[in-house]
Amino acid sequence: MHNKIGSLPVRSDPPARPISHHHSGSYIDRVKESLTTRVSKFICAIFLSLLLCLGIVFFILWISLRPHRPRVHIREFSLPGLGKTDGFETSHISFKITAHNPNQKVGVYYDSMEGSVYYKEKRVGSTKLPHPLYQEPKNTSLIEGDLRGPTMALNEDRWKEMGRDRNQGKVVFRLDVVSVIRFKVYSWHSKMHRMHANCYVEVGWDGMLLSRTKDKRCPVYFT
């Protein structure tokens, strides 16, 4: 047996492996899972963006429509005849206050109002004030009160005590204005709130309001 001269060995290729259906199925599943995840993330992002926008809108509305309590200032207060010995028999107190609605889009209903005057935390008079009253937004109302006759509760001893304070330069009173109010936003009405405005006033020897307490803002609170 003789080998042929010049012949070269030839390398034969291995037989091709058949494509596994298992691996091709896993690849398709991974692609589907990736697309599903992307779509889910996109939907979640849109949903969260909408929630954020709605939250900002509601916050702005809440800030603009949140009711602010009225602002009350004392304008006038007088007790004529304070220097008279028997002045308590014919005494009367008159006062003027302003109530300002600081809200831009919220109205205020005053369903009832009552003014009471205290001297050393003892009530010396009380009277009903004009009502009902509705205040438009950014509106100021002048409210007047007058206490005399049966609405006054002054006796000789208390009058003498006021006289001693007068001789020292001033007599201090507290005007308590109690109102039942409701807030109005468009067609919506809030529940009733009981509001107090406490005005501390000082009158001089002539029974007139001293300048240092004139136009003073009165603290307001709800009960």
Side-chain angles (χ1 to χ4, degrees):
M1 180 183 284
H2 299 281
N3 291 331
K4 292 182 178 180
I5 299 175
S7 63
L8 297 174
V10 178
R11 181 179 179 182
S12 60
D13 294 330
R17 292 184 179 181
I19 298 175
S20 173
H21 292 287
H22 172 72
H23 291 293
S24 62
S26 299
Y27 175 75
I28 294 173
D29 290 340
R30 286 198 299 270
V31 171
K32 288 182 178 179
E33 184 178 352
S34 177
L35 289 174
T36 303
T37 302
R38 290 181 181 179
V39 171
S40 299
K41 289 182 177 180
F42 180 70
I43 293 174
C44 288
I46 292 177
F47 180 72
L48 291 175
S49 299
L50 288 174
L51 280 181
L52 179 62
C53 292
L54 287 175
I56 293 174
V57 169
F58 279 118
F59 178 74
I60 293 174
L61 288 175
W62 180 77
I63 289 294
S64 61
L65 298 178
R66 181 170 61 95
H68 295 278
R69 63 188 65 186
R71 296 172 185 169
V72 179
H73 292 79
I74 183 73
R75 301 304 182 187
E76 294 182 14
F77 188 98
S78 64
L79 176 57
L82 184 60
K84 296 181 180 179
T85 306
D86 58 349
F88 71 94
E89 296 179 351
T90 58
S91 64
H92 72 275
I93 295 175
S94 61
F95 60 85
K96 292 181 181 180
I97 62 172
T98 54
H100 175 68
N101 178 9
N103 298 285
Q104 293 185 352
K105 297 182 180 180
V106 180
V108 181
Y109 281 103
Y110 290 82
D111 293 326
S112 66
M113 300 181 72
E114 182 176 359
S116 300
V117 176
Y118 293 83
Y119 171 70
K120 294 185 177 179
E121 294 308 312
K122 295 180 180 178
R123 190 165 67 175
V124 298
S126 180
T127 184
K128 297 287 184 182
L129 300 177
H131 67 275
L133 171 67
Y134 175 70
Q135 271 191 322
E136 296 283 350
K138 291 293 182 181
N139 186 265
T140 301
S141 300
L142 178 65
I143 300 165
E144 302 181 44
D146 191 75
L147 291 76
R148 64 177 67 237
T151 63
M152 295 288 289
L154 274 175
N155 54 38
E156 187 175 2
D157 291 336
R158 195 169 297 174
W159 189 260
K160 288 181 179 179
E161 192 174 1
M162 289 180 185
R164 289 192 290 270
D165 289 346
R166 170 184 174 273
N167 292 335
Q168 294 178 1
K170 66 179 182 181
V171 184
V172 180
F173 294 95
R174 179 171 67 88
L175 171 63
D176 182 24
V177 179
V178 181
S179 310
V180 176
I181 68 171
R182 291 176 293 132
F183 294 105
K184 177 180 179 292
V185 182
Y186 298 113
S187 59
W188 174 81
H189 294 74
S190 74
K191 66 178 183 179
M192 292 183 177
H193 300 275
R194 187 178 177 86
M195 185 184 78
H196 293 257
N198 272 321
C199 307
Y200 288 89
V201 298
E202 299 176 358
V203 300
W205 62 271
D206 56 353
M208 304 301 291
L209 184 67
L210 293 177
S211 59
R212 60 172 170 260
T213 54
K214 182 177 174 61
D215 300 327
K216 188 176 180 180
R217 184 171 174 177
C218 308
V220 173
Y221 65 93
F222 293 100
T223 58

